[in-house]
Amino acid sequence: MSALLDLLGDTLGPGGIQTGADVEARRRGDGNGPHGVLPDCVLRPRTTEEVASVLATCDRLGQRVVVQGGLTGFAGGARPLAGEVVLSLERMRGVAPPDPASATILAEAGAPLEAVQQAAGSAGLLLGVDIGARGSCTIGGNVATNAGGIRVLRYGMFRDQVAGLEVVLADGSVLSSLSGLRKDNAGYDLKQLFIGSEGTLGVVTRARLRLHPKPAGEVLAFVAASGIAAVLDLLARLRAALGASLSAYEMIGGTLYQAVALEGALRMPLAAGAPLYLIVEVTGAEPARDRGRLEAVLGAAADEGRVGDAVLAESARDIADIWRLREALGRYTLKLAKVQGFDIAIGLDRIAAFMEKTGRAVAAVSPAARVLVFGHLGDGNLHYLVDDDDPAIAKAVYGCVAEAGGSIAAEHGVGLDKKPYLSYSRSAAEINAMRRLKAAFDPKGILNRGRIFDLSGDP
Ligand code: ZN
């Protein structure tokens, strides 16, 4: 460690290295999961060149590194392990003005998502990804985890926003595709490898992100539904009527809705008691027409008894209240003492059978456990929570995910916490191919080692 500090002290300058009592307690984890060790040292470069120097030096010394962004993850990817130094991108927060010609924006890895959203908005443009942690999560972490959120249905995941990347490899070499060409098939599209690879293949330092025209207006409905079949039927009807204007289709399980309503802290749009609730967002170029179409679809579904009560937001306050409720769901589940959270994706053709079967499997392990579900139903992504920490529940849920051909990590990543379950979603051949990529980009295994999968020789 002292050799590392000697070599990097001049490079990183004042404030560039924290050690001992200067290392803050928050460095121990990503805020939601269990805490790891307090690192001995935090390296805080200001430029890509400094990141390259840090990694080249660590690589030469065989020093393991864990990369930290906004520390808002849910899978322990940024949680330090013994012997690791922290590489924090927090001093690289720059956001350039959007480029109107290409409709892109260049941001440094440590820039908060919200800062990029605001810069885009001030130019009449929109970044397609929005998540609850927008104020704290950073662009580098968003790229590294391929973040999703509420508008994937319309704009895709973070991968779809990335026009170009600058990445530093473990040996300090810099790969850059920041020109953001729409068409570039001159060999491999290397940037794709780093999106969603959780910092195991390289460290993102800058990203050029695609922006979209800001919609003319937002029409929002809150709907009570009789069950998952009705929810899927309504989704198909809305897609047919609204096409790409359908921008969010969020589901809330009745048990969770009732629990949040009982807390009494929020204005609930509808009475509790329905099996499921939906938030339907339409953002198009013609809000009045969109509203009429949405009302027509909801009316027809209600006439057939598929959906119950529905309300349309009448004001900006109504809209804000519904999204406030949506963001309160995750916070409610995080307060529970023994909760286990699963971030899973299931094909929409299998999701009804999956929900029924998984509910039975959980009840077989723990008859009293509550199943609290919410999520991005339009993407088949469920945040499936159970308020019982029996490890047999994780096996039961992931067993059902595997049987349905689903994913154990839809949008939160694998990190340290989901690693034991990777084989429920990926074949041995796939995991072997991942290990070969890791060996090619980081032969000494210094970068975020042990995240996603173990390397040979790891405990
Ligand atoms: Zn989510």
Side-chain angles (χ1 to χ4, degrees), residues 149 326 376 381 383 411-412:
R326 171 64 184 77
H376 320 290
N381 179 187
H383 298 314
E411 62 171 9
H412 296 165

Side-chain angles (χ1 to χ4, degrees), residues 153-155 215 217-221 223 233-249 279-299 312:
L153 193 63
R154 167 81 172 270
Y155 298 108
E218 176 178 0
V219 185
L220 202 62
V223 184
D233 173 74
L234 183 63
L235 176 60
R237 291 167 188 239
L238 289 167
R239 279 188 159 142
L242 295 156
S245 298
L246 179 66
S247 48
Y249 195 73
I279 299 170
V280 181
E281 184 195 63
V282 184
T283 49
E286 299 168 283
R289 240 172 105 177
D290 291 341
R291 189 181 177 93
R293 285 175 179 157
L294 177 59
E295 279 174 331
V297 174
L298 290 175
L312 261 69

Side-chain angles (χ1 to χ4, degrees), residues 151-171:
R151 298 215 173 81
V152 172
L153 193 63
R154 167 81 172 270
Y155 298 108
M157 294 191 71
F158 219 85
R159 183 183 304 281
D160 299 288
Q161 323 310 318
V162 175
L165 273 190
E166 179 184 75
V167 179
V168 182
L169 301 186
D171 67 0

